[in-house]
Amino acid sequence: MSGVAFDVASNRSAFPALDQEVDGHPLVYLDNAATTQKPRAVLDALEGYYTSDNANVHRGIHELSRRATEAYESARSKVARWIGAEDPTEVVWTRGTTEAINLVAFAYGLDRLGEGDEILLSILEHHSNIIPWQLVAARTGARVRYIEIDDDGEWILEDLPELVGKRTRIVALNHVSNALGTINPVERVIGHVRMHAPGAVVLLDGAQAMAHMDVDVGELDVDFYAFSGHKACGPTGIGALWGRKAHLEAMAPYQGGGEMISVVERDRSTWAAVPHKFEAGTPNIAGAVGMGAAVDFVESIGKPAILAHERGVVGYAIERLEARFGDRIRIWGPRAIERRSGVVPFSLDFAHPHDIATILDSEGVAVRAGHHCAQLVMKRYGVPATARASFYLYNTTDDVDRLVDALGQVENFFG
Ligand code: C6P
């Protein structure tokens, strides 16, 4: 389902938080890879839920509980359709990408990995897709291995024959990098894994893909797909894990509590069917409802149009930054515009990334600075941190001009 003609001004007006001043300057929000702003439709859905339907799900035999359950489950179905999943029961609500990956690491990995088994990651991963595997490897004797990256932030796939083999049990990779913006060639890796390590399961971290690219878990041929709602116009504290039904059914519960059981005895219990087996306790019902509204909103615009718009703005940003700062700026990540998402990480040779972000903030321009929870990437390039501007469906070339002007202030100060 693709949207009507892309209209950035109308996109922008849908996001109340964009309409404010910071330090006397109109806000330019360029921290979308950390979290996107929320459209009015999502805020209304949250308010509407709490105003008229608020109740616990799957429990009360009363009107409000019925409505809450219906809203919660229909948002699940919406998310399932959004990622090309035929069966909504394959979608487990989580707090976000981090919890989704931990769920697989602990409910799948811990019981299945042993001494000498291998988990394949890349050094381009967010810490959320490294630490859970290190924790599980330490408990099971499995070994974590990494795909390296080249100077342009692309995976070095020539190493795959050496990295993928009989011992590979789990392959966990990001679909799009948060630190460099690389759209990773996941299809090529998955094809290689299916051929050379047929017993391995593949998990994709879709945190940076979901808001920008059409995702079809069937076409991708993955076993698990994880993403966060808040990076795709949805509320914080909600996300999802999609998993193949057979895996989810074979996995032990991740957490115990209400809602995830079938029958409880003194010494043993049985579990509810998936996905409820993995949703112990009162879930984030409002978050799920807000996520459903976010899916509708993003789909009303259409991800191909969003990505095309981002490419235009990112291309303009790279051109302007390089023209203005020449060899004093280093823009990280792939050179080819079609190889990157809306993320533009950069370093200036005259200022530390944190100083850059602080001065930009005083000019009303919000960017992120730091290691972006990707310390292996920083180590690879020998830098402690980078500054990162990340663009979305409401950013314009005017925002880029404001960024470049504000960086001029950084130059005045430090240059
Ligand atoms: N990246 C960024 O500024 P959570 O926190 O669970 O919603 O998402 C974690 C996560 C996992 N994988 C990738 C690729 C990510 O980008 C993120 C979150 C933010 O880049 C916060 S560090």
Side-chain angles (χ1 to χ4, degrees), residues 186-187 190-191 193-195 200-204 216-224 242 244:
V186 292
E187 293 84 355
I190 294 168
V193 169
R194 295 300 182 218
M195 189 164 293
V201 294
V202 177
L203 174 146
L204 286 187
D216 185 314
V217 291
E219 269 175 26
L220 284 166
D221 188 22
V222 286
D223 295 281
F224 299 102
W242 173 84
R244 284 183 200 262

Side-chain angles (χ1 to χ4, degrees), residues 31 33-35 95-99 101 125-126 128-129 174 176-179 205-208 228 230-231 368 372-373 388:
D31 196 15
T35 197
R95 280 191 294 127
T97 309
T98 304
E99 190 178 43
I101 297 172
E125 301 312 309
H126 186 278
S128 295
N129 199 25
N174 66 111
V176 174
S177 156
N178 71 315
D205 166 354
Q208 296 294 341
S228 302
H230 70 95
K231 292 185 196 289
R368 185 173 173 187
H372 312 293
C373 301
R388 185 188 70 182

Side-chain angles (χ1 to χ4, degrees), residues 103-376:
L103 196 166
V104 179
F106 286 91
Y108 182 92
L110 202 54
D111 289 341
R112 286 164 183 78
L113 292 168
E115 197 72 38
D117 285 342
E118 292 181 358
I119 303 164
L120 180 64
L121 314 177
S122 83
I123 67 158
L124 202 43
E125 301 312 309
H126 186 278
H127 298 164
S128 295
N129 199 25
I130 296 176
I131 309 302
W133 304 113
Q134 288 181 346
L135 292 172
V136 165
R139 294 207 207 162
T140 57
R143 176 183 175 208
V144 177
R145 304 192 69 191
Y146 294 94
I147 301 173
E148 300 293 328
I149 55 173
D150 66 17
D151 290 347
D152 287 343
E154 297 274 8
W155 286 338
I156 301 178
L157 297 182
E158 291 72 37
D159 295 345
L160 280 184
E162 203 273 313
L163 287 170
V164 176
K166 283 204 287 285
R167 318 211 87 167
T168 313
R169 296 280 176 271
I170 294 174
V171 177
L173 299 167
N174 66 111
H175 199 169
V176 174
S177 156
N178 71 315
L180 300 178
T182 320
I183 298 175
N184 288 308
V186 292
E187 293 84 355
R188 283 184 60 193
V189 178
I190 294 168
H192 187 92
V193 169
R194 295 300 182 218
M195 189 164 293
H196 298 282
V201 294
V202 177
L203 174 146
L204 286 187
D205 166 354
Q208 296 294 341
M210 213 53 224
H212 312 270
M213 295 159 52
D214 282 333
V215 169
D216 185 314
V217 291
E219 269 175 26
L220 284 166
D221 188 22
V222 286
D223 295 281
F224 299 102
Y225 197 91
F227 72 93
S228 302
H230 70 95
K231 292 185 196 289
C233 297
T236 50
I238 190 77
L241 171 73
W242 173 84
R244 284 183 200 262
K245 189 81 165 264
H247 294 321
L248 295 176
E249 283 179 339
M251 284 155 62
Y254 172 52
Q255 293 180 334
E259 271 304 287
M260 49 74 70
I261 51 84
S262 173
V263 177
V264 176
E265 310 275 4
R266 283 174 181 245
D267 306 320
R268 48 177 284 284
S269 300
T270 53
W271 316 133
V274 294
H276 306 294
K277 178 171 79 174
F278 298 109
E279 294 179 358
T282 300
N284 183 356
I285 307 161
V289 171
M291 189 63 230
V295 171
D296 288 341
F297 178 84
V298 173
E299 282 310 297
S300 74
I301 296 171
K303 289 202 260 184
I306 294 172
L307 189 61
H309 170 75
E310 285 171 0
R311 289 214 165 118
V313 179
V314 165
Y316 179 75
I318 292 175
E319 225 175 271
R320 278 231 55 204
L321 288 167
E322 290 186 337
R324 174 70 176 74
F325 297 104
D327 56 10
R328 306 200 71 188
I329 194 166
R330 167 83 199 248
I331 294 174
W332 305 98
R335 297 300 306 166
I337 204 78
E338 62 283 357
R339 299 285 313 120
R340 58 159 79 229
S341 68
V343 171
V344 181
F346 61 94
S347 306
L348 293 168
D349 68 1
F350 50 83
H352 189 280
H354 287 116
D355 293 327
I356 296 174
T358 304
I359 293 180
L360 291 188
D361 180 48
S362 71
E363 297 291 317
V365 179
V367 299
R368 185 173 173 187
H371 53 62
H372 312 293
C373 301
Q375 288 191 9
L376 299 187

